[in-house]
Amino acid sequence: MELLAAAIAIGLAAVGAGIGNGLIVGRTIEGIARQPELKSQLQGTMFLGIGLVEALPIIAVVVALLDMFVFR
């Protein structure tokens, strides 16, 4: 059961990160299409946002591993 709970937690975190990254990149492309002169600024903000969103699955993996091996 612990393994199943860890797999579900990691899977949901990955799905959430995928949705978040898709929204971030999509909105960035819309912004660049509207104002091409802001491309570099928008891309920098996009990469920062993607980095923050990608922290979620990493944290989920750490918490799942802690739950499986440490908190027994």
Side-chain angles (χ1 to χ4, degrees):
M1 286 305 232
E2 292 173 2
L3 187 61
L4 181 62
I8 290 172
I10 293 169
L12 288 176
V15 168
I19 292 170
N21 284 338
L23 290 173
I24 291 171
V25 172
R27 300 294 164 96
T28 301
I29 291 172
E30 288 177 9
I32 292 172
R34 290 182 184 159
Q35 295 184 340
E37 66 274 4
L38 295 177
K39 180 180 177 181
S40 63
Q41 185 178 4
L42 289 173
Q43 279 183 338
T45 305
M46 177 190 72
F47 288 131
L48 179 64
I50 288 175
L52 292 172
V53 168
E54 285 298 321
L56 177 69
I58 294 169
I59 292 170
V61 168
V62 170
V63 168
L65 290 174
L66 284 173
D67 186 40
M68 284 176 40
F69 297 114
V70 176
F71 299 127
R72 287 185 143 202

